[in-house]
Amino acid sequence: MMPSSSAIICLAYILGLLFTAVPWGGVWVLGLGILGAVFFRRISIGWRVSNKREKSITKARTGNNLPLATPHPNVWLIAGLVGLLATFYFNLRIPQPGAKDISNFVSSENNNNQEQLVIVRGKVASNPRLTRSQRGQFWLEAMQLDEVKNDQGPSDVPQGVTGKLYVTVPILQATGLYPEQEIAVTGMLYKPKAASNPGAFDFQKYLKQEGTFAGLVGKQINVIDEERKWGWWQVREQIVQSHVRFLGVPEGTLVSAMVLGGKAVDLPYDIRDLFVKVGLAHALAASGFQTSLILGVILQLTRKTNKGVQFFCGSLGLIAFLCLAGFQASILRSVIMGFAALIGLALERKVQQLGSLLLAANLLLLFNPVWIWDLGFQLSFLATLGLIVTATPITKRLDWLPPIFASLIAVPLAATVWTLPLLLHIFSVVAVYSVPLNIITTPFISVISIGGMFSGLVSLIVPDLGSYLSSFLYYPTHLLIQIAEFFANLPGSSVAVGSISIWQMLIIYGLIIATCLVRWWQKRWWFAIFLTIILVVVPVWYSTNNLLRITLLATDNEPILVIQDRGKVTLINSGSEGTGRFTILPFLKQQGVNQIDLAISSDFFANENDAWLEVVNDLPIKSFYAYSAQLEKNLEIQAIQNKIGEYKGIYQPLGLGQVVNMSAGIVQFVNDALPIFKLQIFGQNWLLIGNVKSQQVEQLMKNGSLSSPQVLWCLPESLQDLVKVLKPSVAIATTNNLDNKTISAMSQETKLFFTGKDGAIQWTPNDGFQAFIQVTENKSSNL
């Protein structure tokens, strides 16, 4: 079979896996294969004539009779069958909990916020890491489960279980744990939930991709096995310690992350977030750059030996790097391509980079087809594809520059071109200064990576010497962080453009491919860029300037409203600490929001609005109103005022009865003593009621301070009484504490939503009120 035929079949396998996101995707791929076979069979006569002419010309010129490499029509039929089989293979390999998986032992009461105290015995499967909430996190291979009932201790008969657990414990409990150590963890077992808000992180999906279906909030750890078995984690730990010893944190951990990869090193989140924000996340991902350095150094040191020795030493280097950095898709891809280069060197044959990339993709997806939807896998292959097919043409167009500068520009630009559409689809944000920042920092990244590898290798032999050598990396590492911070603080360093649809993304990739393959587009590459900008900007601009929507985000206590009125955005309340970072900002970025026009903070539903600082640090606020009674309680108000002043925004206290006008309506505090918030939005009356007795609300209605609203938000324990008194059309609470009979009776006159079950609640003029989780499930069922 000719190489072109092999490539077609390999691409068909990848296409089949991608089409698992489409209804009857495998049948579509098979249909394309059949169409291809019919089409090429009809024109095969013309190809044969052309082939005979090519043979005669070639023979006349060179004396050789070489056939033209054209795929046989049957190849397309085989490719279609391969794509169809790929969809079946994907479904067979989707992680599913086994019969004795520990997730099957999570009680239904636990899903209703009732604690299920258990003791899980198993083996530690990873080094502990620090979470954003300052808890220790590690993976645990579960072996045995004991349920604790009423503080009477564990049950008499423990159950044998299987499966992997996502475990979080107090940081001191996790200190000193290491892989393969046998421990018993006492804590609360739970099943992860899907994302409750648009744009939010889907914890359930993340754990499923890791083959995990349950988590454990640990309280205490008892170590059963003290024996320290040798593992690559010890080598990794020694390298990290050698870097941190004289460099400190974060410089030392950053050097380690650039050598071993961010997933193998517990890098502080502020540095990780900084590099992601400015477009330097690739520097923290162990992949082709590190393998290229390793092979380059090894081959240079063994250049005077024979090919067999070079192949052996290079293979050892790649295997050692793989074991240290971990078996991740991006690392495996780079190692496979490294081996392809070594084989080509040993056989004295030139390796086709595009062919080796395609081979690596198919090998990895045969090993684990679920990786096709792993973001790290996708970005790694797209970036490498960009370097292979786009970097050289860009370099040629920059031939008026010195070669070294042309290369510095071409490499990050090529990678950006191929990864940006996917990043826009997933994250909705553009790092504006990414390309110039990568050009500036490439020398720093190269020096730090080479120096970190060398000092880490030396530390395995002479630890003190390795630590001393790594100390020379302090200034370039510190300067790299300062450069990243400088670009992050520039105006417009990151711009939210809104999440582009999958069809927009595919059209953009079609334009990129056409620019690489079709001569007409190659000459008009500027036109492709223009169409791409139009394709991204125009739909976002039209949607933003015509959108009327109210979103009540799903939170644990305080109601958070986002009102979008034809480009004007109002945010009411911010929730507790972490809500701004993990709930509000992801939603606003998905919507392409780069500025909040009006923000209103009340102290009625929570003791503090801790998340306002998280929001204002990321997005400018033009006008900010805070309830005057809150000023004495919230210590962060001054910091918020200062930040709003930097954006030249307006900060105003809000008193009892004061009306705040917004583009969509008005907002008013009803009573100084009672937590009641009144809104008129798009012609609807909303009431947000905190901890208030129904008799107090009834009294306010009698004296005319309140009227029956169309929409009511209240605490779960007050829901039944307030619905009876106010008779709203729609009532929303966080959780459902009522029995089915009561819910059924209430639902006859009032539409009920529970954000704990339904997720965020959204209203638009055309669709009315919709639950985010229900809409998401409907889309999934359609697929």
Side-chain angles (χ1 to χ4, degrees), residues 673-676 689-697 700 715 718 722:
L674 300 176
I676 301 177
I689 301 180
N691 189 14
V692 180
K693 294 180 180 179
S694 60
Q695 295 87 346
Q696 294 172 308
V697 174
L700 289 173
L715 299 175
S718 308
L722 290 178

Side-chain angles (χ1 to χ4, degrees), residues 172 457 588 653 747 752:
L172 293 178
L457 183 62
L588 294 178
S747 299
L752 301 176

Side-chain angles (χ1 to χ4, degrees), residues 298-312:
I298 291 176
L299 294 178
Q300 184 65 23
L301 293 175
T302 59
R303 65 185 183 278
K304 295 183 179 179
T305 62
N306 58 46
K307 302 296 184 184
V309 173
Q310 286 187 306
F311 178 83
F312 178 75

Side-chain angles (χ1 to χ4, degrees), residues 579-581 583-590 614-615 618-619:
T579 306
R581 180 184 297 112
T583 302
I584 298 174
L585 289 175
F587 171 69
L588 294 178
K589 289 178 180 178
Q590 185 200 51
E614 299 172 6
V615 175
D618 203 279
L619 285 179

Side-chain angles (χ1 to χ4, degrees), residues 105 119 121 143-147 154-161:
F105 295 89
I119 300 176
R121 182 171 174 173
M143 300 186 300
Q144 183 177 294
L145 174 68
D146 292 352
E147 187 171 354
S155 58
D156 296 332
V157 183
Q159 302 182 66
V161 294

